[in-house]
């Protein structure tokens, strides 16, 4: 028998708990567009550039709104306050990924969609953090500097092929860091793989697949006329498997032969160690190495492509940045990572590029693992949580006149909020490659500005062509269908500089 005081205490606790649960259930979900009976808001979600529509909806429904897709609740966060309050401050419950049968069963498991609750999650993050943190990133400078010279030479020799030079630069850095692999040309097989991987990712990371709601669709054979989803996934899986396996096997063989350069992979793979890796270690190593390549190449390339478009539109800003650079180098050397501290305008220009066109406008989806309450709204366990990064970096309260490209907004005594705080994601899922991405971007942007003038493309009569501001719509976005003129500022000096050993 329990004694009376204890019974009373337990009764009071039960009462408080049930009041709390009742109160929570009474709270409404954040508002949102009216759902239809069965499909919810599926019919209203645009297939292209959904971040723009979500930003519009947030003006009507507020910074946090709800969408329902069949029975799945999506909470869309459109303000810096909401993402920092939830995804950062409450990251212990907001860092899971939505469960996707399509991704995990057909496309295969990857770091990007691994559940926060998976026992391997901390291991992955630790491996990535130790290989990619700010300090570790400094060790990669010789690799970045080497790729930089190839990039600059490529822009001198074939300026119109600048997208190929960008791809080679980013893949060259990622493959060397991940596996110790040296890219040999723009048409390198491994560089092509990165490209295929980006395409595969775009095809599988769609907001909705019917099979997630109707599990019986899993059993229809892939040849069936309506089974496009299965064929898409199997195609993507083939690519993802190759992307993970081929460089991995290549690196394994190199290390076994004793003729290899140090890399993220070689740090963990030691053929002569007494305790060999077990199966799970192998898998972790395979996926983390592949994530450097699949997470780092396409994103960095997207930001560089945006940079070319914005520079061709903004000659005055370009000149200001060039004046700052010329003052630092006397036009006698290339810039390295240490120069960033003395180039505030160029740093601001880079921030503004990522603010103006965040590479991943909706980031990657999160999932909340416990019921929660925020600002009087109920956020149910299992809801998918989407950070509308584009809306945050175009919020006129934080960034007045948000559609004007203006690096000076990040300078002075009262700079506007640092966009790097938002564009690399949040909480325990924050991009582990942010430091490396930022440094590779700075190096490229600063040295391209030092070495070239970028202007609008011209037609056969010499008239400038106004580029269409068109953005590829996927998880990673970048401008498409534009050209620009890239001409060396000091051709002789540039050739000499790209041929010297040191930067
Ligand atoms: C401009 C450069 C980059 C941008 C804008 C960017 C942005 C992002 C964003 C928004 C996320 C999702 C974070 C979240 O879920 O909250 C992410 C995740 C990730 N990024 Fe990056 N990224 C960049 C470069 C890189 C680089 C260079 C690497 C690797 C070397 C990398 C590896 C990853 C990985 C592995 C994840 C998944 C983390 C996880 O799910 O736990 N990224 N990135």
């Amino acid at each position: 028998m329990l004694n009376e005081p204890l019974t009373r205490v337990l009764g009071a606790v039960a009462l408080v708990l049930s009041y709390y649960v009742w109160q929570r259930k009474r709270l409404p979900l954040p508002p949102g567009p009216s759902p239809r009976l069965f499909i919810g808001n599926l019919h209203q979600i645009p297939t292209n550039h959904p971040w723009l529509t979500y930003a519009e909806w947030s003006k009507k429904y507020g910074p946090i709104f709800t969408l329902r897709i069949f029975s799945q609740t999506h909470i869309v966060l459109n303000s810096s306050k909401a993402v920092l309050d939830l995804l950062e401050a409450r990251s212990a419950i907001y860092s899971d990924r939505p469960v996707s049968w399509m991704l995990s069963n057909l496309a295969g498991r990857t770091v990007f969609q691994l559940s926060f609750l998976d026992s391997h999650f901390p291991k992955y993050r630790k491996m990535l953090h130790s290989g990619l943190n700010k300090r570790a990133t400094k060790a990669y400078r010789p690799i970045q500097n080497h790729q930089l010279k190839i990039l600059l030479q490529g822009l001198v020799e074939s300026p119109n092929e600048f997208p190929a030079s960008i791809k080679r630069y980013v893949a060259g850095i990622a493959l060397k860091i991940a596996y110790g692999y040296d890219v040999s040309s723009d048409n390198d097989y491994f560089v092509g793989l990165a490209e295929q991987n980006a395409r595969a990712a775009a095809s599988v990371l769609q907001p909705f697949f019917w099979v997630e709601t109707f599990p019986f669709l899993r059993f229809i054979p892939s040849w069936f006329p309506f089974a496009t989803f299965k064929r898409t996934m199997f195609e993507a899986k083939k690519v993802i498997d190759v992307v993970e396996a081929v460089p991995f096997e290549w690196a394994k063989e190199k290390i076994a032969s004793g003729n290899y350069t140090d890399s993220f992979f070689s740090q963990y793979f030691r053929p002569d160690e007494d305790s060999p890796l077990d199966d799970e270690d192998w898998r972790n190593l395979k996926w983390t190495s592949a994530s450097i390549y699949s997470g780092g190449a396409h994103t960095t390339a997207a930001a560089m492509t945006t940079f070319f478009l914005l520079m061709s539109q903004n000659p005055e800003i370009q000149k200001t940045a060039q004046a700052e650079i010329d003052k630092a180098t006397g036009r006698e050397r290339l810039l390295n990572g240490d120069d960033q501290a003395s180039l505030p305008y160029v740093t601001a220009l880079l921030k503004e590029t990522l603010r103006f066109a965040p590479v991943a406008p909706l980031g990657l989806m999160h999932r909340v693992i416990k019921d929660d309450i925020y600002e009087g709204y109920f956020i149910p366990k299992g809801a998918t949580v989407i950070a509308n990064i584009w809306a945050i970096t175009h919020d006129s309260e934080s960034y007045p006149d948000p559609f004007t490209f203006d690096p000076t907004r990040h300078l002075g005594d009262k700079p506007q909020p640092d966009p790097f705080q938002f564009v690399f994601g949040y909480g325990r899922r924050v991009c582990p490659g942010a430091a490396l991405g930022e440094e590779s971007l700075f190096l490229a942007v600063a040295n391209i500005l030092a070495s070239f003038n970028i202007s609008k493309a011209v037609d056969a009569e010499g008239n400038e062509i106004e580029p269409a501001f068109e953005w590829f719509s996927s998880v990673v976005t970048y401008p498409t269908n534009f050209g620009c003129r890239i001409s060396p500022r000091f051709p002789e000096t540039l050739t000499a500089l790209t041929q010297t050993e040191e930067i």
Side-chain angles (χ1 to χ4, degrees):
M1 280 278 280
L2 291 173
N3 63 29
E4 201 180 323
L6 185 59
T7 316
R8 279 202 195 139
V9 170
L10 288 178
V13 169
L15 206 66
V16 170
L17 275 179
S18 44
Y19 174 76
Y20 180 66
V21 169
W22 176 75
Q23 178 74 6
R24 233 166 26 169
K25 299 279 183 211
R26 274 184 62 226
L27 291 173
L29 289 170
S34 303
R36 280 196 184 152
L37 188 60
F38 183 53
I39 59 172
N41 303 102
L42 182 64
H43 61 297
Q44 292 154 312
I45 297 179
T47 34
N48 280 325
H49 312 103
W51 50 90
L52 301 179
T53 308
Y54 293 171
E56 279 306 309
W57 285 346
S58 76
K59 287 182 196 150
K60 186 164 175 195
Y61 303 107
I64 318 166
F65 64 79
T66 305
L67 296 173
R68 182 165 65 74
I69 302 182
F70 290 96
S71 58
Q72 181 60 35
T73 302
H74 286 59
I75 306 289
V76 186
L77 310 176
N78 294 275
S79 71
S80 53
K81 180 172 176 349
V83 292
L84 297 179
D85 285 351
L86 297 181
L87 304 187
E88 285 287 345
R90 300 185 195 173
S91 69
I93 60 167
Y94 278 89
S95 294
D96 203 12
R97 295 283 189 223
V99 181
S100 158
W101 181 83
M102 283 288 275
L103 288 177
S104 49
N105 288 283
L106 295 183
R109 212 150 55 114
T110 69
V111 169
F112 303 94
Q113 91 231 31
L114 186 74
S115 168
F116 174 65
L117 302 172
D118 189 298
S119 60
H120 297 286
F121 180 80
K123 217 174 194 177
Y124 273 123
R125 291 291 308 194
K126 202 168 161 213
M127 283 170 85
L128 285 169
H129 178 74
S130 70
L132 298 171
N133 66 51
K134 243 187 166 43
R135 203 157 47 89
T137 301
K138 286 207 169 143
Y140 304 136
R141 284 187 175 171
I143 297 174
Q144 291 166 308
N145 293 343
H146 176 70
Q147 291 303 326
L148 171 75
K149 288 180 189 167
I150 298 175
L151 168 71
L152 298 178
Q153 275 162 2
L155 294 176
V156 171
E157 285 157 22
S158 349
N160 293 336
E161 307 297 321
F162 71 95
S165 294
I166 293 176
K167 275 177 207 149
R168 177 167 178 178
Y169 173 70
V170 296
I173 293 173
L175 286 163
K176 185 76 179 175
I177 290 175
Y179 305 104
Y181 178 81
D182 281 307
V183 168
S184 58
S185 73
D186 289 0
N187 303 321
D188 190 284
Y189 173 64
F190 285 14
V191 177
L193 279 185
E195 182 71 354
Q196 288 178 39
N197 183 62
R199 255 180 270 135
S203 71
V204 298
L205 289 169
Q206 293 176 27
F208 174 75
F209 284 105
W210 290 95
V211 68
E212 305 293 356
T213 306
F214 300 107
F216 68 87
L217 291 174
R218 295 173 192 180
F219 304 107
I220 67 171
S222 54
W223 50 263
F224 201 69
F226 297 110
T228 323
F229 69 96
K230 273 202 162 172
R231 293 190 289 276
T232 306
M233 279 292 161
F234 286 139
E235 281 311 307
K237 182 169 170 48
K238 269 192 233 157
V239 175
I240 292 166
D241 283 350
V242 172
V243 168
E244 279 175 0
V246 175
F248 182 80
E249 292 303 329
W250 177 90
K252 244 164 93 176
E253 272 174 35
K254 274 302 239 188
I255 293 175
S257 75
N259 173 22
Y260 66 94
T261 44
D262 262 333
S263 61
F264 177 85
F265 181 90
S266 73
Q267 253 186 64
Y268 291 98
F269 176 90
R270 296 277 182 231
D272 49 354
E273 252 183 23
D274 292 341
S275 52
L277 302 180
D278 65 22
D279 280 358
E280 201 51 54
D281 291 336
W282 275 116
R283 236 168 291 153
N284 286 345
L285 183 52
K286 195 172 182 179
W287 287 335
T288 44
S289 313
S291 75
I292 294 182
Y293 176 41
S294 48
H298 198 45
T299 43
T300 313
M304 284 173 69
T305 311
T306 303
F307 161 77
F308 276 102
L309 172 66
L310 291 172
M311 287 306 97
S312 71
Q313 297 290 301
N314 292 285
E316 289 310 316
I317 289 175
Q318 206 177 146
K319 271 190 210 138
T320 310
Q322 286 168 333
E324 184 184 62
I325 292 168
D326 290 351
K327 205 167 150 207
T329 62
R331 298 180 183 173
E332 282 173 357
R333 62 176 180 89
L334 294 175
L335 296 130
N336 62 49
D338 288 332
D339 286 307
Q340 186 162 8
S342 55
L343 296 176
Y345 191 85
V346 178
T347 304
L349 186 152
L350 181 56
K351 285 182 198 252
E352 182 63 350
T353 304
L354 286 166
R355 181 202 69 81
F356 189 85
V359 160
L362 295 178
L364 292 176
M365 292 191 247
H366 287 224
R367 176 176 181 264
V368 57
I369 56 173
K370 264 173 94 177
D371 284 349
D372 195 19
I373 295 173
Y374 182 63
E375 309 243 308
Y377 294 124
F378 176 57
I379 300 182
K381 171 184 174 180
T384 297
V385 182
I386 299 172
N388 189 352
I389 297 175
W390 188 92
I392 293 166
T393 65
H394 288 78
D395 174 356
S396 54
E397 277 186 22
S398 310
Y399 303 104
D401 199 5
F403 294 95
T404 298
F405 181 78
D406 177 11
T408 62
R409 63 172 83 240
H410 307 291
L411 296 170
D413 296 343
K414 284 195 179 149
Q416 293 170 20
D418 186 346
F420 285 173
Q421 206 187 347
F422 306 117
V423 299
F424 290 106
Y426 306 95
R428 301 188 194 181
R429 294 315 285 234
V430 70
C431 173
L436 179 67
E438 187 188 334
E439 184 139 339
S440 299
L441 282 173
F442 170 79
L443 201 67
V445 159
N447 282 293
I448 292 170
L449 286 166
S451 314
F452 299 94
N453 288 319
I454 303 165
S455 50
K456 290 178 192 168
V458 287
D459 63 19
E461 278 80 49
N463 304 314
E464 284 188 338
I465 305 169
E466 282 304 322
F469 269 63
E470 284 171 11
W471 301 84
F472 182 67
S473 182
S474 186
V475 177
V476 171
T477 185
Y478 49 87
T480 54
N481 298 330
F482 79 97
C484 56
R485 265 184 305 165
I486 301 171
S487 29
R489 295 175 70 210
F490 319 107
E492 296 78 25
T493 329
L494 179 57
T495 308
L497 290 178
T498 56
Q499 284 162 2
T500 54
E501 276 302 305
E502 294 297 320
I503 286 195

